[in-house]
Amino acid sequence: MYIEQGYKGKLGAWNFFIIPVLFILLMAFNYVSTKLMLSESDQSMEALMSQMIDKIGKNVFLAINLMIFVVGLLAVFFWVKFIHQQTLTQFTTSRKKIDWKRIGLMFVLWGTFSAVTTLIAVYSVPENYELQFNWTSFLPLLIISLVLFPFQTSFEEYLFRGQLLQGLGIATKSRAVSWIVTSVLFGVMHAANPEVEKLGPSIMIFYIGTGLVLGAMTLLDEGLELALGFHAANNIIGALLITSTWTAIQTDSVYLDTSVMPSFSIIDALPIFIGYPILLIILGKIYKWKNWKEKLFGRVLSKEEFLAIEGESSYDEFQE
């Protein structure tokens, strides 16, 4: 009962929305101000990012952007632990302890899949990719990726599949509403990415679809561990293996996408509609998930019902 873990704190459901709302407002302000700046300068996002990278270099640009999420994650942890007074374990999982093996397994599983499929794509249409591997720039990238990307991906997971999922679930008493709304918001958060400008709004299928599978993992497994491992592997492997001049994350990766007219087609969406469900089925077999319908679309217990299940001896822990 991961959503119900939100009852284990001193504040009401409203507290789950403070940081997410502030973050969403910040993203909206950044999106609008960037659009205004680009319209005034008659530049594209791609050109603006290119100018900044030329001045400070890809690795420094990446590190600066990721450091924002270090501050964000620490702010979320501080709020949860000291304001809401919910333990980080309760914020992460319904298990008694955070299952690091789950995080590691998911990281290896999805990291391997991402690496293999990326290399298949490269060797299927080699004319669209340029080998740019250079140890001098790749080694700093590797260090930055392993150290800082987990902060970025964990911030997004704890924000959307943590605070918002628990908060919306408790407020609406609906697992489906909390799952779907957080997934859509996760997709909308990426609307300001230059990929959307380059590939068109159809790329939002990928972002929202990824949000749905991450939310499904969290609800079915009753914890954030699998989502944390998936998200970290996805971003780290992507940053290390392939980049382009028009993505939000531009790195000194192994390959450079040189496609003249990149697009997001129905074929690109197939992994979302076919691959993600298969992944959930595999994980379901590994972790013996049951009651899928109830976990995804069922009712969230009230605080009183949850306390009755947890035991009256824990009552003081949940008092507001």
Side-chain angles (χ1 to χ4, degrees):
M1 292 181 285
Y2 174 68
I3 288 179
E4 287 84 351
Q5 296 298 309
Y7 290 124
K8 297 182 177 180
K10 302 298 180 181
L11 302 177
W14 60 268
N15 93 91
F16 291 98
F17 303 103
I18 300 298
I19 293 181
V21 168
L22 289 175
F23 177 73
I24 290 171
L25 289 175
L26 178 63
M27 294 294 292
F29 173 78
N30 179 65
Y31 177 77
V32 172
S33 60
T34 301
K35 284 292 185 182
L36 289 173
M37 182 178 63
L38 291 175
S39 63
E40 290 176 0
S41 61
D42 197 27
Q43 282 185 309
S44 65
M45 177 64 74
E46 181 179 346
L48 180 63
M49 290 183 65
S50 178
Q51 290 177 8
M52 297 176 66
I53 289 172
D54 288 342
K55 290 180 179 179
I56 61 177
K58 289 182 179 179
N59 283 328
V60 175
F61 182 75
L62 177 65
I64 291 173
N65 278 276
L66 293 180
M67 283 299 296
I68 298 171
F69 295 99
V70 175
V71 177
L73 183 61
L74 293 177
V76 170
F77 283 172
F78 178 86
W79 179 273
V80 169
K81 187 171 180 60
F82 296 105
I83 306 300
H84 184 47
Q85 296 183 37
Q86 178 186 16
T87 70
L88 295 183
T89 297
Q90 294 162 352
F91 187 42
T92 304
T93 183
S94 60
R95 286 168 274 277
K96 293 182 179 179
K97 296 190 298 184
I98 297 173
D99 192 339
W100 294 98
K101 289 183 179 180
R102 270 175 158 82
I103 298 175
L105 174 65
M106 192 69 247
F107 183 90
V108 172
L109 181 65
W110 191 250
T112 301
F113 177 81
S114 298
V116 170
T117 53
T118 297
L119 292 175
I120 289 174
V122 169
Y123 288 104
S124 297
V125 273
E127 64 273 14
N128 287 343
Y129 301 93
E130 175 186 326
L131 180 66
Q132 61 169 13
F133 180 75
N134 184 308
W135 267 115
T136 303
S137 54
F138 183 81
L139 188 56
L141 170 63
L142 178 62
I143 296 171
I144 292 170
S145 298
L146 293 177
V147 172
L148 294 181
F149 265 117
F151 284 95
Q152 181 241 333
T153 57
S154 296
F155 170 75
E156 293 182 5
E157 290 310 307
Y158 278 108
L159 192 77
F160 288 95
R161 259 68 62 180
Q163 287 198 306
L164 276 177
L165 191 73
Q166 287 187 345
L168 282 170
I170 290 172
T172 65
K173 296 297 183 289
S174 170
R175 286 173 168 256
V177 169
S178 59
W179 175 35
I180 294 170
V181 171
T182 54
S183 300
V184 172
L185 288 175
F186 178 75
V188 172
M189 179 191 71
H190 294 84
N193 285 9
E195 293 96 314
V196 179
E197 178 184 354
K198 192 74 172 182
L199 301 176
S202 59
I203 188 64
M204 296 301 291
I205 295 172
F206 168 75
Y207 292 126
I208 295 175
T210 300
L212 286 169
V213 76
L214 289 169
M217 283 182 199
T218 302
L219 291 173
L220 292 169
D221 199 50
E222 298 293 2
L224 276 177
E225 292 99 331
L226 296 178
L228 288 168
F230 177 104
H231 205 159
N234 187 74
N235 286 27
I236 289 173
I237 297 302
L240 293 176
L241 286 187
I242 193 164
T243 191
S244 72
T245 60
W246 43 267
T247 53
I249 299 174
Q250 297 186 30
T251 66
D252 291 307
S253 57
V254 177
Y255 291 99
L256 174 67
D257 184 345
T258 58
S259 305
V260 177
M261 293 293 291
S263 62
F264 186 84
S265 64
I266 188 63
I267 295 177
D268 298 307
L270 289 179
I272 300 166
F273 297 110
I274 298 175
Y276 282 172
I278 291 174
L279 174 63
L280 291 177
I281 292 171
I282 293 172
L283 292 173
K285 294 292 185 181
I286 294 173
Y287 295 110
K288 298 180 174 56
W289 292 339
K290 297 178 180 179
N291 303 322
W292 286 46
K293 183 178 179 180
E294 178 64 25
K295 287 185 175 182
L296 293 176
F297 302 101
R299 181 176 64 87
V300 174
L301 298 179
S302 68
K303 185 174 182 178
E304 291 71 26
E305 291 170 324
F306 180 59
L307 288 176
I309 293 174
E310 288 286 298
E312 292 297 330
S313 61
S314 302
Y315 180 77
D316 290 341
E317 179 183 356
F318 310 136
Q319 281 189 319
E320 296 179 1

